[in-house]
Amino acid sequence: MKETILVTGGTGFIGSHTTVELQEAGYNVVIVDNLSNSSASVIDGIEKITGVRPAFEQVDCCDYAALENVFQKYPGIKGIIHFAASKAVGESVEKPLLYYRNNINSLINLLELMPKYDVKGIIFSSSCTVYGQPSEENLPVTEKAPIQKALSPYGNTKQINEEIIQDYIHSGAPIKSIILRYFNPIGAHPSALIGELPNGVPMNLIPFVTQTAIGIRKQLKIFGNDYGTPDGTCIRDYIYVVDLAKAHVKAMARILDTADTDAVEVFNIGTGRGLSTLEVVEGFEKATGVKLNWEYAPRREGDIEKVWGNVDKANKVLGWKAEADIDDVLRSAWKWQKKLREDGIQ
Ligand code: UD1
């Protein structure tokens, strides 16, 4: 058995997939999650896939004392992967303090506890949202592209947290960090035992697509067809959640097993390829054989026109590459939606 890793937000979408990949790579996982946007039943799904039940503590990372208890109860935690965060862009505009409090305090608590419990490193979930709309010459966007003023409190918490990590390590704190800037994570584990479970009306494209396909939503709206892109719809870099999860395993191994790396490193995690919203919608229909009811609607406020990643650094330095085929990814999302229906969940 390899080291023990603390996964905050481990019952969430990316956290659960990463827990599976960590376990399959031989790590021992302790999950903390306050279950504010997920369910403890996700642990059952993880156990069914890997045959190992991860330890679970229902703890809010903003609660310093409760978080410290976790480090005492599970001695020897060597690494942290910090997913736990509020993540709805629109909600963050309405409730900025909630977002600043949750997302920033939880990181500060973890950072403070790390030296005390001899935790070597932390992987932080950041987002391509920090680049805003990159200029033409900066597409595909590299890690060196300028950070632009965030368009929402959610996006701002990602930028601030990146800076907090940089400043803390710069001050001489004896820890390392890898900041992963995700593009758009989609899909579900091929087993359909874990996947994305949005609360209420989904804001993200793929859950809205699958919920429309199964009849929960009447019609998908494609937000804007007058953008400066070949088909007029927005372009994103859609990364399979299992590939994304594997990037965390590579990053954790780099932190724990590789000497002489910089104390803070930043990697884009995407496919390196941009797909338009229309291409995704038509791709879903083709891959699943299900017709979608959709129409064009006005642009969504705050949307970026086009962004996709240059992922050379992750390919070379982490030795990681997105491998999944987009048709398989879209089918995995559909399989998961059908499983939710079978189980009477959605
Ligand atoms: C959103 C967040 C981003 C966050 C990311 C996490 C916004 C503005 N940005 O990114 O900060 O890091 O989620 O996953 O919310 N679309 C439709 N119809 C729909 C839903 C989406 O046409 O019903 C389009 C959008 O206009 C966009 C694309 O699909 O062009 C992807 O949208 P979405 O899944 O919400 O992701 P982002 O907006 O890229």
Side-chain angles (χ1 to χ4, degrees), residues 39-313:
S39 148
S41 65
V42 171
I43 316 268
D44 301 332
I46 294 170
E47 185 182 6
K48 277 190 197 136
I49 296 170
T50 65
V52 181
R53 194 167 184 85
F56 170 67
E57 299 293 330
Q58 185 173 350
V59 161
D60 189 321
C61 295
C62 291
D63 181 342
Y64 185 90
L67 197 55
E68 178 153 25
N69 283 338
V70 174
F71 287 92
Q72 286 169 350
K73 184 167 172 189
Y74 302 93
I77 290 172
K78 284 287 163 253
I80 299 173
I81 307 186
H82 181 40
F83 296 105
S86 304
K87 62 166 189 180
V89 176
E91 186 187 44
S92 80
V93 176
E94 284 154 27
K95 302 175 188 165
L97 296 187
L98 175 81
Y99 273 66
Y100 287 117
R101 189 191 299 276
N102 274 352
N103 293 4
I104 293 174
N105 286 358
S106 57
L107 176 69
I108 292 175
N109 285 345
L110 288 166
L111 292 177
E112 256 177 12
L113 286 162
M114 286 176 72
K116 191 167 173 191
Y117 289 91
D118 196 28
V119 183
K120 290 200 161 72
I122 182 164
I123 296 174
F124 176 65
S125 304
S126 189
S127 163
C128 67
T129 194
V130 301
Y131 302 121
Q133 175 60 67
S135 57
E136 275 308 319
E137 67 273 14
N138 279 330
L139 278 172
V141 69
T142 73
E143 293 84 353
K144 293 203 170 86
I147 303 296
Q148 302 205 50
K149 184 172 163 37
L151 294 172
S152 68
Y154 158 78
N156 206 19
T157 66
K158 294 294 175 196
Q159 297 190 0
I160 292 169
N161 277 350
E162 286 198 11
E163 288 177 357
I164 289 173
I165 291 170
Q166 299 273 6
D167 289 347
Y168 187 48
I169 289 180
H170 182 74
S171 77
I175 63 166
K176 283 187 167 185
S177 181
I178 290 184
I179 292 168
L180 299 181
R181 293 183 182 149
Y182 312 153
F183 285 75
N184 289 57
I186 61 166
H189 194 269
S191 64
L193 290 165
I194 54 173
E196 189 171 8
L197 200 49
N199 245 338
V201 182
M203 294 295 150
N204 293 115
L205 178 62
I206 295 302
F208 208 104
V209 163
T210 60
Q211 289 197 6
T212 306
I214 211 151
I216 299 171
R217 311 283 154 208
K218 273 207 186 77
Q219 191 179 49
L220 167 77
K221 310 259 189 246
I222 293 187
F223 299 135
N225 63 340
D226 57 352
Y227 285 103
T229 59
D231 65 24
T233 66
C234 292
I235 294 177
R236 296 287 184 276
D237 183 337
Y238 293 93
I239 169 80
Y240 184 36
V241 67
V242 174
D243 280 335
L244 173 60
K246 288 179 177 163
H248 294 79
V249 178
K250 294 275 190 187
M252 187 50 76
R254 183 169 171 83
I255 282 184
L256 297 181
D257 307 334
T258 314
D260 302 328
T261 61
D262 286 348
V264 190
E265 294 181 303
V266 180
F267 295 96
N268 282 343
I269 303 294
T271 65
R273 188 163 79 111
L275 284 179
S276 75
T277 310
L278 184 63
E279 283 174 316
V280 171
V281 168
E282 289 180 347
F284 179 86
E285 293 186 307
K286 186 173 106 322
T288 62
V290 179
K291 271 309 286 155
L292 274 177
N293 178 18
W294 68 268
E295 69 171 14
Y296 286 123
R299 293 180 176 198
R300 178 170 73 178
E301 203 190 318
D303 258 344
I304 300 294
E305 179 174 85
K306 52 185 171 185
V307 62
W308 66 101
N310 176 317
V311 288
D312 291 351
K313 189 177 173 196

